[in-house]
């Protein structure tokens, strides 16, 4: 059956608090990412992602302190991202207890960073996150859809001339251990993942692909594994708001013939 498919909740953290609303029961602080991470771990999440969305130095210190607390509490691997621009940022977060780091804008601006991280700490530590959107402007009618996916920086505010598939292949060649692909077209819509693009990434790259953007129901997770060939599925609000309990999701996927860790 191959490796088990992974379910990965993602928390956006600002000034030490989870910024997307949560309604978990019996948490001492619904906004505390450490408590939330612990709850997800107990529910059967395979990994966690924590994204620091506060760019200031003070925010970074708060986030690093949180990573230390998470590492003391969590018994599953976790990835951290946000504001990582150089090796000393990676070192600081790994030293605090993170298992992997996620880099996005910094990797596009200076692709050599991927190789530096892989050489120093190992490819398994380096997750290259790609925010991409299918933009139809500037291309001839009938252009293959693979040529329409542009990569974006700064949380999706700035379009680059890098294209999704070429950049993902380059990231792999430079030493990335995984690709975390967020479809901006699908993000927040709850209409399902970008399965066509995900399938092309999964089928042409040799490293794992984490799907992000579009989860709204259990069937979307089934489809991202069966149609999108993704190795892992990341989601935020459907977990934070208790819309899809992780044990229920995993039981459903297992019954659908998908290899998950129960």
């Amino acid at each position: 059956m191959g490796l088990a498919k992974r379910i990965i909740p993602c928390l956006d953290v600002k000034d030490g608090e989870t910024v997307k609303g949560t309604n978990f029961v019996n948490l001492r602080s619904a906004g505390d990412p450490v408590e939330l991470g612990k709850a997800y771990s107990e529910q059967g999440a395979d990994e966690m992602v924590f994204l620091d969305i506060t760019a200031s130095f003070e925010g970074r210190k708060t986030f690093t302190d949180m990573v230390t607390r998470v590492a003391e509490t969590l018994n599953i691997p976790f990835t951290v991202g946000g504001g990582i621009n150089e090796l000393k940022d990676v070192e600081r977060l790994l030293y605090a207890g993170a298992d992997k780091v996620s880099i996005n804008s910094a990797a596009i601006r200076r692709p050599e960073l991927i190789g530096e991280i892989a050489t120093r700490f190992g490819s398994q530590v380096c997750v290259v996150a790609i925010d991409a959107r299918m933009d139809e402007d500037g291309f001839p009618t009938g252009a293959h859809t693979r040529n329409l996916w542009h990569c974006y920086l700064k949380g999706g505010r700035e379009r680059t001339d890098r294209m999704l598939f070429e950049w993902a292949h380059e990231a792999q060649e430079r030493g990335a251990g995984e690709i975390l692909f967020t479809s901006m077209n699908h993000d927040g819509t709850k209409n399902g993942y970008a399965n066509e693009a995900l399938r092309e990434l999964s089928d042409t790259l040799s490293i794992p692909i984490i799907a992000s953007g579009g989860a709204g129901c259990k069937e979307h997770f089934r489809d991202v594994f069966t149609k999108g060939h993704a190795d892992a599925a990341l989601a935020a609000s459907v977990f934070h708001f208790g819309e899809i309990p992780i044990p229920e999701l995993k039981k459903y996927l297992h019954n659908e013939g998908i290899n998950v860790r129960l």
Side-chain angles (χ1 to χ4, degrees):
M1 293 179 74
L3 292 173
K5 303 294 188 180
R6 291 170 285 151
I7 300 297
I8 306 177
C10 178
L11 302 184
D12 290 337
V13 179
K14 181 180 181 186
D15 301 327
E17 293 284 300
T18 308
V19 292
K20 287 185 179 172
T22 57
N23 65 355
F24 268 85
V25 186
N26 300 326
L27 287 182
R28 288 196 295 276
S29 164
D32 183 355
V34 179
E35 290 293 321
L36 202 47
K38 183 181 176 188
Y40 283 139
S41 176
E42 289 168 353
Q43 282 194 20
D46 297 294
E47 294 184 18
M48 293 283 304
V49 171
F50 296 86
L51 297 178
D52 178 9
I53 62 170
T54 310
S56 69
F57 170 75
E58 196 51 46
R60 212 151 279 163
K61 185 176 181 301
T62 304
F63 188 75
T64 306
D65 291 344
M66 182 216 75
V67 170
T68 303
R69 289 167 51 225
V70 167
E72 290 167 353
T73 310
L74 233 56
N75 60 2
I76 56 174
F78 70 98
T79 301
V80 295
I84 297 171
N85 296 302
E86 52 189 341
L87 280 180
K88 71 177 184 181
D89 296 324
V90 179
E91 197 165 51
R92 170 172 51 84
L93 293 165
L94 293 180
Y95 186 72
D99 297 280
K100 309 176 198 177
V101 296
S102 168
I103 56 173
N104 188 337
S105 299
I108 286 184
R109 289 198 195 98
R110 198 171 71 81
E112 295 79 15
L113 181 61
I114 300 169
E116 291 168 6
I117 296 171
T119 301
R120 179 83 174 270
F121 305 107
S123 285
Q124 78 285 350
V125 161
C126 186
V127 179
V128 172
I130 303 176
D131 296 336
R133 190 170 76 190
M134 189 190 283
D135 295 326
E136 306 217 6
D137 61 307
F139 284 87
T141 306
H144 194 284
T145 54
R146 78 184 311 281
N147 298 321
L148 303 176
W149 285 95
H150 287 263
C151 299
Y152 278 74
L153 299 181
K154 297 179 181 173
R157 291 188 294 274
E158 183 181 306
R159 186 162 101 172
T160 73
D161 59 0
R162 302 305 301 252
M163 307 304 285
L164 168 63
F165 299 102
E166 288 79 1
W167 172 231
H169 278 267
E170 182 179 333
Q172 174 179 277
E173 293 306 306
R174 288 181 176 273
E178 292 181 281
I179 299 290
L180 167 54
F181 163 51
T182 301
S183 165
M184 293 167 59
N185 304 77
H186 296 73
D187 193 49
T189 65
K190 297 191 176 181
N191 289 328
Y193 292 90
N195 291 323
E196 191 178 322
L198 283 160
R199 185 169 59 250
E200 178 155 354
L201 285 171
S202 297
D203 291 354
T204 57
L205 270 65
S206 59
I207 58 176
I209 306 297
I210 305 167
S212 169
C217 62
K218 294 194 286 283
E219 289 77 13
H220 293 155
F221 288 89
R222 175 198 65 200
D223 291 347
V224 81
F225 295 132
T226 58
K227 297 177 182 176
H229 299 177
D231 298 277
L234 179 143
S237 59
V238 292
F239 295 143
H240 300 345
F241 293 111
E243 294 166 31
I244 304 178
I246 292 173
E248 193 180 295
L249 171 62
K250 286 195 155 187
K251 190 174 180 182
Y252 165 81
L253 292 172
H254 175 75
N255 291 339
E256 290 288 316
I258 294 161
N259 183 17
V260 290
R261 185 176 63 85
L262 294 173

